[in-house]
């Protein structure tokens, strides 16, 4: 009878402790486990619609603030990765050698893009960029277009083979190719080639993040400064590694 009683007590603690901490604990604004803002307590609106929507909003609030939430998320993530070798998120792919890839917001679909972009759309993008350049030029302002490739396109050698086999031509690649051939707008810094070359010497993106490392940001910054030097000869300085504050 000791075993059933122990299981019951543990189960009860899992129910009671998070709720008790939810009631008595401090409210957080940011989730350290998820790196995002948490829901705020919903306002009570004295109307039929307001009262009908309140339970749903409160449920979202409770899910964001119940006790031990960040710890439980970390334990769940660690359990999924180490025991089952699976990603705890539908928006993250586990790659090789400790690399992780975010696939939300159309990133994966863009990497595997099966169809070319409509030429009319590409033509419109060129018109928009040229229009911005001309509008700013009227005020004496230079306009430089610096699109940034996704990490998945630069470090795709670390992706699972099943995904690499599905690679298409991304939006970034198609737009860059069109602009170079079209000629209406040429003030573009194309970073993908520099990043692919630079990654052989240094790690330019974080393994578990979507952002550049200091080395990646420095490489991109200096490429931008190189282009600006064409406009302002001798007035633009590049930055060295020693000048970066870590």
């Amino acid at each position: 009878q000791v075993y059933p009683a122990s299981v019951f007590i543990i189960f009860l603690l899992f129910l009671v402790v998070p709720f008790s901490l939810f009631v008595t604990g401090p409210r957080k604004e940011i989730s350290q486990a998820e790196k995002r803002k948490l829901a705020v307590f919903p306002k009570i609106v004295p109307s039929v619609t307001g009262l009908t929507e309140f339970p749903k909003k409160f449920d979202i609030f409770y899910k964001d603030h119940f006790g031990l939430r960040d710890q439980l998320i970390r334990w769940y993530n660690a359990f999924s990765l180490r025991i089952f070798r699976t990603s705890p998120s539908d928006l993250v792919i586990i790659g090789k050698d400790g690399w992780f890839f975010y696939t939300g917001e159309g990133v994966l679909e863009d990497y595997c893009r099966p169809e070319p972009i409509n030429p009319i759309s590409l033509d419109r993008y060129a018109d928009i960029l040229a229009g911005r350049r001309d509008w700013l030029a009227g005020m004496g302002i230079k306009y430089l277009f610096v699109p940034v490739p996704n990490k998945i396109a630069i470090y795709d050698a670390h992706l699972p083979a099943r995904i690499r086999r599905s690679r298409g031509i991304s939006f970034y690649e198609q737009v860059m190719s069109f602009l170079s051939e079209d000629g209406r707008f040429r003030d573009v810094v194309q970073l993908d080639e520099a990043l692919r070359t630079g990654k052989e010497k240094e790690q330019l993106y974080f393994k578990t993040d979507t952002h550049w490392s200091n080395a990646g940001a420095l490489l991109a910054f200096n490429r931008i400064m190189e282009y600006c030097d064409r406009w302002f000869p001798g007035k633009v300085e590049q930055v060295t590694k020693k000048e970066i504050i870590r």
Side-chain angles (χ1 to χ4, degrees):
Q1 295 181 352
V2 174
Y3 177 74
S6 300
V7 173
F8 173 76
I9 291 173
I10 293 172
F11 178 73
L12 189 63
L13 287 173
F14 267 102
L15 293 177
V16 173
V17 172
F19 181 75
S20 299
L21 292 174
F22 168 75
V23 174
T24 61
R27 295 282 176 257
K28 294 181 179 179
E29 293 184 4
I30 303 292
S31 167
Q32 294 302 319
E34 297 176 283
K35 302 293 186 287
R36 68 173 180 85
K37 285 187 176 182
L38 300 174
V40 298
F41 189 85
K43 293 182 180 180
I44 300 176
V45 181
S47 66
V48 175
T49 303
L51 295 175
T52 302
E53 292 179 351
F54 180 81
K56 184 187 297 182
K57 293 179 179 179
F58 180 81
D59 183 57
I60 295 173
F61 171 75
Y62 178 74
K63 288 178 179 177
D64 270 5
H65 293 276
F66 66 82
L68 302 177
R69 182 180 184 277
D70 280 2
Q71 291 89 336
L72 290 171
I73 289 174
R74 289 193 182 96
W75 294 344
Y76 168 74
N77 291 346
F79 188 80
S80 298
L81 288 170
R82 295 175 185 175
I83 304 300
F84 294 109
R85 303 293 181 183
T86 60
S87 173
S89 171
D90 294 335
L91 300 178
V92 176
I93 291 175
I94 301 175
K96 302 175 183 177
D97 305 318
W99 285 82
F100 290 76
F101 296 91
Y102 175 68
T103 62
E105 302 177 71
V107 171
L108 182 59
E109 290 80 1
D110 184 58
Y111 178 83
C112 301
R113 185 181 292 273
E115 301 293 336
I117 299 173
N118 188 319
I120 296 176
S121 296
L122 291 172
D123 189 74
R124 184 168 178 270
Y125 294 137
D127 273 343
I128 290 172
L129 292 171
R132 290 175 180 172
R133 176 202 58 206
D134 296 342
W135 179 70
L136 290 168
M139 296 182 283
I141 301 171
K142 296 288 187 181
Y143 178 57
L144 182 61
F145 183 51
V146 189
V148 179
N150 289 316
K151 165 184 164 180
I152 196 172
I154 303 301
Y155 282 96
D156 57 342
H158 298 281
L159 284 169
R162 60 183 173 80
I163 295 178
R164 290 204 315 274
R165 287 194 294 267
S166 301
R167 177 164 190 179
I169 303 177
S170 70
F171 177 84
Y172 178 97
E173 293 168 322
Q174 293 188 53
V175 171
M176 292 299 97
S177 176
F178 180 84
L179 290 177
S180 64
E181 295 175 4
D182 179 73
R184 267 174 291 174
F185 184 85
R186 295 193 178 280
D187 293 325
V188 181
V189 174
Q190 190 168 345
L191 292 173
D192 56 340
E193 294 178 5
L195 290 170
R196 289 194 180 96
T197 301
K199 74 176 181 179
E200 303 301 327
K201 301 177 182 178
E202 299 178 281
Q203 183 179 314
L204 305 180
Y205 285 79
F206 291 110
K207 284 189 172 184
T208 58
D209 200 340
T210 59
H211 297 89
W212 286 327
S213 62
N214 282 345
L218 178 62
L219 184 151
F221 175 82
N222 284 333
R223 289 294 179 277
I224 294 170
M225 292 302 100
E226 284 178 9
Y227 197 97
C228 290
D229 190 59
R230 303 178 189 179
W231 291 335
F232 312 103
K235 297 181 180 180
V236 177
E237 295 183 3
Q238 296 194 3
V239 174
T240 64
K241 289 182 181 180
K242 294 181 180 179
E243 296 176 281
I244 296 179
I245 299 175
R246 297 182 182 275

